[in-house]
Amino acid sequence: MPVGSPIQRLSDDLLAKIFNLLARSDGQLKHASVCKQWHGMACRVQDRVCLTASRHVDPRQLIPQLSRFVNLRKLVLSAGSLPAVPDALLSCVADTCHDLIELRINSPESDSHEWDSLDQIDSPENFTECGLSSLFAKCTRLEDLHLRCPKHLAAIPPSIDCLASLTNLHLVARRVKLLPDTFSSLQSLQRLVLIMPKLKNLPRNFKNLVLLKSLQLDDCGSLKSIPEFIGQLASVDRLSISGCRELRLPDSLTNLSSLVALEIRACRDPLPLPANFGQLHALESLLLEDIAGMPNLPESLGQLQRLKRLSLNRCSGISSLPRSLPRLPSLADLNLFAPNLSVLPAEIGQLSELRTFSLTNADVPSLPDSISQATALQELSLENLRDLTSLPEEFGQLASLETLHLNGLPQLTHLPESFGHLTKLRTLRIMACYQLQQLPDSVSALLALQDLDLRHSWRLTALPVGMGNGLPNLRKLELHHCKALTRLPPSFSGLSSLESLSILQAGSFRGALPEGFGRLGKLRELSLRAMPHLTALPASVSGLLALTSLLLVNCPGVKALPGDIGRLGSLEELKISKLDGLDSFPRSLVELPRLRVLEVRMCSELLTLLGDETVEDLEQGQGTGAASSTLGASSNRSSSSSSSRDTTTTTTTHSSGNHGRSVNGALLPSLLSLKAEQFFFRSFGPSLGCLSSLTRMELLQMGELLSLPDSISGLSQLQVLRIFNSIKLKSLPETLGGLSCLRALELVGLHGLHELPEAFGQLTQLETVKIIMCTNISRLPASFSNLSKLQHCSLDNVGISGIPDDFWRLSSLQTLVLLCLQNLCSLPESFSQLPRLKALELCHCRKLSQVPPSLGEMPTLSECVILECPLLPN
């Protein structure tokens, strides 16, 4: 429960009733959070209650109240909640909570949460060995203890032997070098986690922990070896060792007859496994990770009849695998990340239960032919194998294979023709196989294939001719950075299940998409990017009735969109960028019924967006000032370009007439977001106000834009308006005040704008205003102070000389940033009456010479930054 919540103001009696009521609800109450102010809470807490100290609890307030919770079973004292856990608090717990079962000190509330920072844990006010000793001696019913010791604690008290019921211990002690001899008295201990960088050895009587099932040694860097007696821990079924840099494993390790899982990580020096390692007959999982000097595995590994998972991850010392490896009858998951591994066992295909095989960063030049005999294999991943040149010819016999990743195989030149026999293959990813020039025709026979990814196949020139006659279940196709790809096969339109197609950086692609493209009836996402020689979209594209997203980026050869694009009744997102050849939109564009997002950027020839924009005197305006550089247009255009412009202008005028009947009705009735960047036209037409569903509009670098239409008030749902770098925009219409839902307004780089409309104050829902680099705005409108919901205001490089006297009426203002206001001389006396201002920033206002003396007395102001205002007195 957060500090300051209403429950803190409740009476003690009512608090007691609430907690008693919760505690009686069938014992289901798991957590009762303690607030900063407890108000003498007196209540009986039932058995299963967990008491968690919330953030910023003062231990001195916690101590007198904790004594009332006599039946507490779980207590969490987190370092993120308490500045320290002093001895007095532990003493209170020891004297009161005799029935405590679970205790966490300086640890997260649960094992899944992150550990707290060490800063609070190392507070000198934290508990000492004496306080810990008292806790151990009295809380004898503890079953679960998570203890993170402060840095100054150098020893674990011997009284830990009083915790006879302890089954789970998680101990973090960074300075403790030895465990007490009494540690062996923890006869009920089943799970032990030790994180002790200074620990030198385990006590000899450690073998008495006969019920121990799980032992985890993490970051025990000073531990040189595991003692021989560890083999006497007959109940241990999980052993995990990490960060023990110079560790030696004893031969007695193989006596752990119950061991099911062994994990060894981040050990620096060579760590040979015992020669008789195969005697661990119960072992099911072996994980070796980040062991730089790991030598080859012993031949006895093949005796592990129950081993299901073997993972060698970043073990650079391994150059070969035991010949006995194929004799592991239960092995289902094999992961090999071994940079110096040069050969696989010839009979690896005899692993009859192998389901998942991953081979990464190895020097293996080829796969054994027997791999095709691993008929149970479902997932195969071959990554970063720089010497692998081919796959076995009988590769298609992997009848159960469902997922195949071929990533980073720079020498792979071809795939076997038997590839088409992988009838269960669903996912095929061929990435960064730079020498692969073609896919076998048999790929078309992959009846189950759903996802095909061919990224960075640089030399791939074409897809199989008959792929559209097969692949009945293909849903997703990605062709990224296929630089040599010249076309899609004519049969492509036969991919009846295709839902997503993405082509990127196909520099050799020539001509248009196949004419039958519109027959892809299930296509939902179409992305064509960086295809400089793509000449057109076929007219049949308008038949993609399921299409929801269309992206066309950097395809300068595309001169037009299909005329009846308005038939795309499911289209929700249309993004067009850098189509330099596109000079107009089809008139049917505004008829798209479900379009929610429209982005049009950097189309240098495009003269119209909604069809009724003003484009008169375009040629004259185009060559002036910054417009040409902003739009990236060349000063010398070809005669064909000029002709195109003339034709387009005529088309635009005609289009405007056609849209006249729609001006009073809604256009694009579902449109929520409009982003337009780098357009030539001088003003929007009245159609802009017909976008009645629009909630976000961004107009960026509209270098020729002079004005916005009065009809903008029709954008009744608009919440965000951003206008950037429209350097010729001279004014905003008075009807701007009709944007009754506007919450955020950003005006940036509008150097031609001289004033804000007086109707500005009618934007009663406005919460954020940013006016930046509008140097010719000389004043704020008088109505500015009517913005009663304004919370954040930033004025940067604006030409205003003063702040309105009634600025204090901005009753919701919390953050105010005034930067580089070169004409600002003073702040009004009433400025300090802003009731909710929390942060104020005054920087580089070089003429500012006066601020209200009471500024520093504002009760809500918590952050004030004043820099480079040289005329202000110190």
Side-chain angles (χ1 to χ4, degrees), residues 8 46 154 195 225 264 306 333 410 412 601 675:
Q8 294 184 4
Q46 296 295 333
I195 304 177
S225 64
I264 305 177
R306 296 185 181 180
D333 184 355
L412 184 67
R601 305 175 59 244
K675 183 175 182 178

Side-chain angles (χ1 to χ4, degrees), residues 475-477 498-502 517 522-527 546-551 573:
R475 297 178 182 177
K476 184 176 181 180
L477 175 60
L498 193 65
E499 297 179 359
S500 175
L501 171 62
S502 179
F517 203 81
K522 292 186 179 180
L523 193 67
R524 296 173 55 85
E525 299 176 359
L526 175 59
S527 175
L547 195 67
T548 61
S549 175
L550 174 59
L551 275 68
E573 178 184 57

Side-chain angles (χ1 to χ4, degrees), residues 250-358:
D251 290 339
S252 64
L253 180 72
T254 58
N255 295 334
L256 297 175
S257 57
S258 300
L259 192 64
V260 172
L262 174 62
E263 299 179 3
I264 305 177
R265 294 184 173 92
C267 294
R268 182 181 61 192
D269 289 349
L271 184 72
L273 298 180
N276 58 347
F277 191 78
Q279 294 182 13
L280 293 171
H281 299 301
L283 195 65
E284 296 181 2
S285 175
L286 174 60
L287 187 151
L288 305 174
E289 182 175 295
D290 285 320
I291 307 175
M294 183 78 195
N296 292 335
L297 302 179
E299 278 297 327
S300 62
L301 185 78
Q303 301 173 19
L304 300 175
Q305 300 295 296
R306 296 185 181 180
L307 191 67
K308 297 179 180 179
R309 182 190 180 210
L310 173 59
S311 178
L312 307 178
N313 200 359
R314 294 186 294 275
C315 296
S316 57
I318 294 181
S319 59
S320 63
L321 298 175
R323 292 191 301 270
S324 61
L325 180 73
R327 296 200 293 269
L328 296 172
S330 303
L331 191 64
D333 184 355
L334 177 58
N335 175 33
L336 304 176
F337 188 130
N340 292 314
L341 182 65
S342 59
V343 63
L344 296 177
E347 295 82 18
I348 194 171
Q350 295 180 10
L351 294 170
S352 58
E353 294 298 318
L354 192 64
R355 300 289 193 273
T356 304
F357 179 28
S358 175

Side-chain angles (χ1 to χ4, degrees), residues 717-737:
Q717 302 299 317
L718 194 66
Q719 299 180 17
V720 178
L721 175 58
R722 304 174 73 228
I723 307 177
F724 280 29
N725 297 327
S726 296
I727 57 177
K728 293 187 178 182
L729 185 65
K730 295 180 178 180
S731 64
L732 299 177
E734 284 293 332
T735 55
L736 189 75

Side-chain angles (χ1 to χ4, degrees), residues 778-819:
S778 58
R779 67 177 185 87
L780 297 179
S783 63
F784 193 88
S785 300
N786 295 338
L787 303 176
S788 58
K789 292 189 177 181
L790 188 64
Q791 299 179 20
H792 310 286
C793 179
S794 178
L795 303 175
D796 183 352
N797 266 290
V798 182
I800 61 173
S801 58
I803 300 294
D805 289 337
D806 58 350
F807 204 72
W808 60 271
R809 292 173 53 204
L810 299 174
S811 56
S812 300
L813 191 63
Q814 299 179 20
T815 303
L816 177 60
V817 177
L818 304 177
L819 299 179

